[in-house]
Amino acid sequence: MCISVFLHHAISQPPTETDTYTECTDGYHWDPQTQHCKDINECETIPEACKGEMKCFNHYGGYLCLPRSASVIPAPEPPNQIHPSLENTASEPFNPCPPGFEPQGDSCVGECVKTGLCFQNRCQTCHVYVDECEQDSHDCQPSQQCFNTEGSFSCQCPDGYRKVGTECIDIDECRYRYCQHRCVNVPGSFSCQCEPGFQLAANNRSCIDVDECSMGAPCSQRCYNTYGTFLCRCEQGYELGPDGFACNDIDECSYSSYLCQHQCVNEHGKFSCVCPKGYQLLGTRLCQDINECETGAHQCSDGQTCVNIHGGNKCVDSKSCEEPYVQVSDRCTCPITKPGCRDLPYSVVHRYMSITSERSVPSDLFQIQATSVSPGAYNTFRIRSGDDNGDFYIRQINNISAMLVLARAVNGPREYVLDLEMVSMNPLVSYHTSSVLRLTIYVGPHAF
């Protein structure tokens, strides 16, 4: 709402010719210089003449308290109403300039006379004098900005605001979807923000993907950039930790006991198989016995024979006949002429073999074969000694051969010495004799 107030000019109060007093009416004071009564500006002399949002407007003989949006328009005086005696006694000089300007200049000469700006022998030129914005004599609202103009001023809203009535209201630019991701409205402006994994483009509105992998993503091994984020991946033999960044070694050995035939050793990013002493790795997981007798990695002397067993070797004496036996070629014989040989087998042959632990049963181990048979002889086979626990038995195949069978599973390391006897009988000629194969069985410490 705009309030306009018309105020009539009242320059001064001259005393009458017979008045010799210097007293003035209310609202005026005596000016000894002009010898006239001069209006008192109550807006300047009375502290806080108007309260609150009201603005003080001085007028001759008093003042008004009006809203700040009100304006005062001086009422023009009717023509020919100015008293002749007041023409040259006015308290203020004539102002030929429009409102908001003040005359200034020198004496009237030349163009000044032609333009009609000559007054009291001085050329009046007009320049901007009143800056209502600096003097705070404007009526702009606190939310508005005052801009001085020629002879006046204007109230405008700052950038980012719009005028609603007499107030400046912030424009919510976020309503117009200027931003690709997130818009944050602030007084008089706005800013765009991007979701994690994106950054503002050069136009400060669009969002572009951030390549976290090239910017030092915390992946411990492999990093793969994706739209708006990134993924960490691990090399073979590792698994991603709970944080999604670190790669932890996989203990493959803990997942299965069948990865290696003997022992699994976990390493960074992989595993390896190792074999016990006396074995070598066959491929990557199996263990194979090393034949020290073939490789020469044994300590047997010249008078000994190297016997390979699972996981090692044995050195046995080449001549191992005991009394009353004597060495004949590769066997020990007991002559019938010796009294002590009467109840003993005629010959003893030494043989050696090695088996693994936990061998499945029944299992054929060793075949006994007669080297010579007399006509009409009848042969039987038996375990003469060494099988106290009944771990073995003989299965006769025919008249001249038989098979030693493992009856129960055995674990090593262990050693058996079995005397396998073949008894030959011929009832036609009352012939009876026997021979022994002394078989030494070494049971290895492992199942391979």
Side-chain angles (χ1 to χ4, degrees):
M1 178 179 67
C2 179
I3 299 176
S4 298
V5 179
F6 290 86
L7 298 177
H8 291 279
H9 286 286
I11 299 175
S12 64
Q13 286 186 343
T16 62
E17 293 181 358
T18 59
D19 192 0
T20 58
Y21 297 99
T22 58
E23 295 182 359
C24 302
T25 60
D26 291 341
Y28 294 86
H29 70 92
W30 178 257
D31 185 1
Q33 187 175 12
T34 60
Q35 296 295 307
H36 288 86
C37 290
K38 191 175 182 179
D39 177 59
I40 298 173
N41 189 347
E42 292 84 356
C43 294
E44 294 180 354
T45 60
I46 300 178
E48 297 184 5
C50 297
K51 304 294 184 179
E53 294 296 322
M54 305 301 283
K55 183 177 180 181
C56 180
F57 289 88
N58 184 61
H59 73 94
Y60 292 100
Y63 66 96
L64 297 175
C65 290
L66 301 175
R68 297 184 66 89
S69 58
S71 61
V72 176
I73 304 175
E77 292 194 12
N80 303 320
Q81 293 299 315
I82 301 178
H83 197 279
S85 62
L86 300 181
E87 276 190 14
N88 297 324
T89 59
S91 61
E92 296 182 5
F94 167 73
N95 185 1
C97 300
F101 291 83
E102 182 186 62
Q104 94 177 12
D106 298 324
S107 59
C108 296
V109 292
E111 291 297 322
C112 182
V113 177
K114 295 180 182 178
T115 56
L117 294 177
C118 184
F119 178 72
Q120 293 183 348
N121 200 32
R122 295 179 66 86
C123 185
Q124 307 297 322
T125 58
C126 302
H127 73 292
V128 176
Y129 174 72
V130 180
D131 188 341
E132 295 86 351
C133 299
E134 281 191 6
Q135 297 183 1
D136 198 23
S137 59
H138 59 84
D139 57 359
C140 297
Q141 297 297 318
S143 61
Q144 297 175 334
Q145 292 179 338
C146 177
F147 292 89
N148 191 56
T149 60
E150 291 190 2
S152 185
F153 64 92
S154 65
C155 299
Q156 299 178 14
C157 291
D159 292 339
Y161 291 84
R162 60 188 177 92
K163 194 171 184 180
V164 178
T166 60
E167 295 293 333
C168 292
I169 305 300
D170 174 56
I171 298 173
D172 186 2
E173 295 87 352
C174 297
R175 295 173 55 192
Y176 304 103
R177 299 189 178 182
Y178 291 138
C179 301
Q180 182 180 357
H181 283 183
R182 293 199 304 260
C183 178
V184 178
N185 186 61
V186 295
S189 184
F190 71 98
S191 63
C192 295
Q193 296 180 356
C194 296
E195 300 292 343
F198 296 87
Q199 63 183 7
L200 277 177
N203 60 9
N204 288 327
R205 295 189 179 186
S206 302
C207 293
I208 57 177
D209 176 58
V210 174
D211 186 359
E212 295 88 351
C213 297
S214 64
M215 298 175 65
C219 297
S220 62
Q221 291 186 358
R222 293 180 180 178
C223 179
Y224 296 92
N225 185 59
T226 60
Y227 188 70
T229 184
F230 65 96
L231 296 175
C232 295
R233 290 293 180 264
C234 300
E235 305 286 350
Q236 183 177 0
Y238 294 86
E239 61 183 355
L240 203 61
D243 60 358
F245 306 133
C247 290
N248 302 322
D249 175 60
I250 298 175
D251 185 1
E252 296 89 350
C253 299
S254 64
Y255 284 93
S256 174
S257 60
Y258 298 100
L259 292 177
C260 298
Q261 192 174 37
H262 176 58
Q263 182 180 356
C264 178
V265 177
N266 185 59
E267 301 176 10
H268 287 294
K270 61 179 182 178
F271 71 96
S272 61
C273 297
V274 295
C275 295
K277 184 180 179 180
Y279 294 82
Q280 62 185 0
L281 202 61
L282 179 63
T284 58
R285 301 187 179 187
L286 301 179
C287 292
Q288 183 183 48
D289 174 58
I290 299 173
N291 192 334
E292 295 86 357
C293 299
E294 291 183 355
T295 62
H298 59 82
Q299 303 296 325
C300 299
S301 63
D302 293 338
Q304 294 178 317
T305 300
C306 178
V307 177
N308 185 63
I309 63 174
H310 287 85
N313 68 283
K314 292 288 185 179
C315 296
V316 297
D317 294 333
S318 300
K319 296 180 180 180
S320 56
C321 296
E322 300 176 357
E323 284 291 335
Y325 288 90
V326 294
Q327 188 78 33
V328 178
S329 185
D330 64 342
R331 64 186 59 200
C332 299
T333 60
C334 192
I336 58 175
T337 57
K338 288 185 177 183
C341 293
R342 185 181 302 272
D343 298 324
L344 295 177
Y346 172 71
S347 65
V348 176
V349 178
H350 291 271
R351 294 291 183 267
Y352 306 92
M353 71 175 296
S354 178
I355 63 173
T356 62
S357 293
E358 302 176 9
R359 187 163 179 163
S360 60
V361 292
S363 177
D364 294 346
L365 296 183
F366 191 87
Q367 184 173 348
I368 310 167
Q369 184 77 36
T371 57
S372 62
V373 179
S374 60
Y378 175 69
N379 300 316
T380 59
F381 298 87
R382 67 170 184 164
I383 300 174
R384 180 183 177 92
S385 64
D387 185 24
D388 298 333
N389 297 324
D391 297 330
F392 306 90
Y393 67 88
I394 290 290
R395 185 180 76 248
Q396 187 160 342
I397 301 173
N398 51 39
N399 190 46
I400 59 172
S401 64
M403 181 66 71
L404 176 66
V405 180
L406 177 65
R408 295 192 301 184
V410 292
N411 293 318
R414 189 172 180 179
E415 182 179 327
Y416 291 91
V417 179
L418 302 178
D419 280 353
L420 308 180
E421 184 179 28
M422 181 182 73
V423 179
S424 298
M425 293 181 296
N426 191 336
L428 297 177
V429 294
S430 298
Y431 174 77
H432 182 278
T433 187
S434 68
S435 59
V436 169
L437 188 148
R438 184 162 290 164
L439 178 64
T440 302
I441 301 175
Y442 300 99
V443 182
H446 306 287
F448 47 85

